[in-house]
Amino acid sequence: MTTNHQHSPGHHQHAHGSHNDHQHSDEEGMAQMLDLDALLLKEHLRQIFEWTAGHHQNPRNIMDLGAGTGTGTLGLARTFPEASVLAVDQSEFMLGRLVATVDEHGLSSRVTTAQVDLDQSWPEVADIDLIWAASSMHHMGNPARVFEHIATTLSADGMLVVVEMDKFPRYLPRELGFGVPGLEERCHEAADSASWNAHPDWAGPIHNAGMAMIEQRTFDYAIDDDQKLVARAAHRWLSRMHAALQDSLSVADLQDLEMLLDDDGPQSVFKRNDLAMRGSRTVWAARISQG
């Protein structure tokens, strides 16, 4: 989507433009990262789905905005087995991956898709009981207008849930055994300076759109029990950091990243046993204001 923020080259759930080879390659990389995150964060996401169910136990119609490869769509369909789910994304490629996954899990009778650029138009739906927007609102060019659409689309007792990463995940210990300590912290500082994943506290914009906050909560995670899977995720993320921060990091830090990313090198992430995927997500839940 066209936005007023800069975002990381990873964890993007949308894509713009023609489907040329470069875009397909980029979307394939994003899809693999999203799917890998879903595997690692299964328990973390389950907590958020259960928290959502605690606030709305029986939604019949659900809409997943910025559905990506379908992590949220699948989780919602499983959490609410009586509900139908509409997965919305502007990327044909992502929706194709989502449909294939939905079919594999036998959920195609309850999941439909809509290819929509939410900065340009809005799906022709109404009376939606639950609207889910995970890591997507900060990609909107005009989030205030999207929140207004959401407010007019929710059913009388419907609920909005917005999920955002507070920071990108961290994987490395501060002391790597080589180089200057704090490499990953410096990578994150550079990403923050470029406004990657920048988003406000959504409570204000949600209130301005005529919705009342139910609860705002932060969910932490720290995952280290599957070192091979964590190493795969670390390698993907650090590769994107290395590619995107060439002009922001020192030559020494870039060389240290290359050592971590060298699959066969002695400092490769794949040869470490001290990795942990650490981070948090904040969740906002709201309903239509009654007065």
Side-chain angles (χ1 to χ4, degrees):
M1 284 189 173
T2 303
T3 71
N4 51 13
H5 299 301
Q6 295 179 25
H7 304 290
S8 91
H11 291 80
H12 233 290
Q13 300 216 25
H14 309 277
H16 225 8
S18 61
H19 287 264
N20 52 34
D21 290 342
H22 172 75
Q23 179 183 341
H24 180 85
S25 174
D26 189 51
E27 288 191 308
E28 176 65 31
M30 280 188 281
Q32 292 177 6
M33 182 176 289
L34 291 170
D35 290 344
L36 189 54
D37 282 356
L39 284 174
L40 279 163
L41 298 172
K42 185 177 180 180
E43 177 61 23
H44 168 66
L45 296 172
R46 185 187 64 79
Q47 292 175 1
I48 298 176
F49 290 129
E50 288 185 352
W51 176 85
T52 300
H55 288 295
H56 200 319
Q57 298 180 3
N58 190 33
R60 298 157 300 164
N61 302 301
I62 300 172
M63 184 159 63
D64 181 4
L65 301 181
T69 56
T71 300
T73 299
L74 288 172
L76 292 163
R78 290 167 173 157
T79 303
F80 304 105
E82 303 301 318
S84 61
V85 184
L86 172 63
V88 180
D89 203 287
Q90 71 174 34
S91 168
E92 180 182 4
F93 176 83
M94 292 290 187
L95 290 176
R97 290 277 291 247
L98 184 152
V99 168
T101 303
V102 164
D103 287 345
E104 289 174 8
H105 289 83
L107 295 170
S108 56
S109 63
R110 293 198 290 121
V111 176
T112 56
T113 63
Q115 185 180 354
V116 179
D117 181 342
L118 296 173
D119 277 334
Q120 303 298 324
S121 59
W122 188 255
E124 294 184 6
V125 293
D127 293 325
I128 300 296
D129 300 313
L130 174 60
I131 295 180
W132 172 274
S135 298
S136 58
M137 283 305 305
H138 72 268
H139 291 301
M140 308 299 176
N142 189 344
R145 183 172 60 190
V146 174
F147 280 127
E148 290 172 358
H149 283 306
I150 289 170
T152 60
T153 301
L154 285 170
S155 61
D157 61 347
M159 185 173 75
L160 165 67
V161 174
V162 177
V163 186
E164 294 280 12
M165 286 188 296
D166 299 311
K167 298 286 185 180
F168 288 118
R170 297 196 179 200
Y171 300 92
L172 305 175
R174 178 173 173 78
E175 298 276 355
L176 293 172
F178 65 94
V180 178
L183 171 62
E184 194 168 32
E185 285 86 346
R186 293 190 293 279
C187 290
H188 278 257
E189 288 170 1
D192 289 344
S193 296
S195 296
W196 290 11
N197 197 52
H199 60 80
D201 181 343
W202 289 121
I206 288 170
H207 173 78
N208 293 339
M211 291 175 279
M213 288 295 302
I214 302 169
E215 186 180 354
Q216 179 175 333
R217 180 172 168 183
T218 297
F219 293 81
D220 300 315
Y221 60 85
I223 301 157
D224 61 3
D225 53 339
D226 189 332
Q227 286 290 301
K228 289 185 178 179
L229 202 57
V230 174
R232 284 175 55 197
H235 191 279
R236 270 194 187 283
W237 179 237
L238 293 173
S239 294
R240 289 179 176 269
M241 285 276 205
H242 179 267
L245 298 177
Q246 289 287 319
D247 297 329
S248 303
L249 297 175
S250 69
V251 171
D253 281 347
L254 289 170
Q255 290 175 341
D256 288 345
L257 281 175
E258 289 166 5
M259 294 172 67
L260 289 164
L261 295 170
D262 180 357
D263 293 0
D264 299 319
Q267 308 299 344
S268 170
V269 292
F270 293 114
K271 296 183 179 180
R272 303 188 71 95
N273 60 6
D274 58 356
L275 303 176
M277 187 179 186
R278 309 176 305 280
S280 64
R281 281 174 170 77
T282 294
V283 189
W284 295 259
R287 296 188 190 277
I288 300 298
S289 179
Q290 299 301 316

